[in-house]
Structures are given as structure tokens and as C-alpha cells.
Amino acid sequence: MVFILGLNFPESRLVKSALQSFYGVGPQHTERLMAKLYIHKTARVGSLADKQVLDLTAELSSMTIENDLRRKLQDNIRRLRDMGAYRGRRHAMGLPVRGQRTRTQTATAAKLNKVERSG
């Protein structure tokens, strides 16, 4: 097991999928991080040297990911609601925010906009 930023990963797991398991780190960030640290795209977590793991952890800790990013998104939505902006009202009502059709089929948008509707 390899310990990266508070999580244990099995040694057989790909570095790419291990990095993408962090909230806020997608395919493009993963590609850039791996290129920056000279890690092959098919490398396994167990094959990383200790220095590479430490560098990877340092890079991830400098990024806004996981709870910090979730909190930032919630704060942005709360700010929109408090301002009374159109997008904030749509978030508060659980309706589509980005101009989607509301005459029919708003179920998907209602599922996706479940960000602190009460209050």
C-alpha cells in the first residue's frame, strides 16, 4: 500500500486512476502532473520511487482539491443566492441553471442541483 495525501492505494493500481480518484483532479490535471514529474502513463503506484511519491503529494497539497474545492463551490453558490442573482435563485429552487429546457424533463437538472436548497 502506498500512502498519497491521506489515502492508501494498492500497489497494483495505475497512477493515473489513483490521481483521478481525488475530487477535482481530472484526466487533464493527471496528464500534466504525470508529465511534470516524469511518470509514465501506464506506471503503477507500487513502481514509484519514494521521491516521486513525495513530489506527487507536494503537488497535490498545493492544489485546491477535495474538501477545499467542495467548500469553494458551495461558497460560490451561496454568494449567488445571497445576491439574489438569477443563477442563485435557480440553484435554490433546484431548477436548471444553465438555460436548459424546463417545459419537460427537468428531473436530471433537479438531481444535479442538489446543493443546499433548504434555507
Side-chain angles (χ1 to χ4, degrees):
M1 298 292 262
V2 179
F3 193 71
I4 299 175
L5 204 67
L7 291 176
N8 284 323
F9 293 105
E11 295 185 6
S12 61
R13 189 157 181 192
L14 287 172
V15 176
K16 184 175 182 177
S17 68
L19 290 176
Q20 287 181 8
S21 68
F22 291 105
Y23 181 81
V25 180
Q28 289 184 335
H29 278 116
T30 302
E31 292 286 330
R32 286 192 196 126
L33 271 175
M34 291 174 68
K36 184 176 183 179
L37 299 174
Y38 304 106
I39 300 172
H40 193 268
K41 57 184 168 187
T42 60
R44 305 268 174 190
V45 174
S47 67
L48 294 178
D50 289 339
K51 184 182 182 323
Q52 286 179 317
V53 173
L54 291 174
D55 290 343
L56 200 57
T57 305
E59 281 292 323
L60 287 172
S61 63
S62 69
M63 295 170 58
T64 305
I65 56 173
E66 289 292 330
N67 290 334
D68 296 334
L69 185 59
R70 286 188 179 102
R71 193 173 305 112
K72 188 175 178 180
L73 286 173
Q74 292 245 334
D75 289 344
N76 287 340
I77 292 171
R78 189 175 301 117
R79 179 182 51 81
L80 288 170
R81 288 179 62 195
D82 292 344
M83 269 193 317
Y86 178 78
R87 282 175 47 207
R89 290 195 316 254
R90 301 295 281 189
H91 271 291
M93 292 186 288
L95 293 171
V97 176
R98 297 184 177 177
Q100 295 94 331
R101 178 183 182 89
T102 56
R103 185 170 178 177
T104 59
Q105 299 178 349
T106 59
T108 305
K111 276 191 285 187
L112 294 177
N113 292 340
K114 285 185 179 176
V115 180
E116 191 193 328
R117 259 188 238 120
S118 61

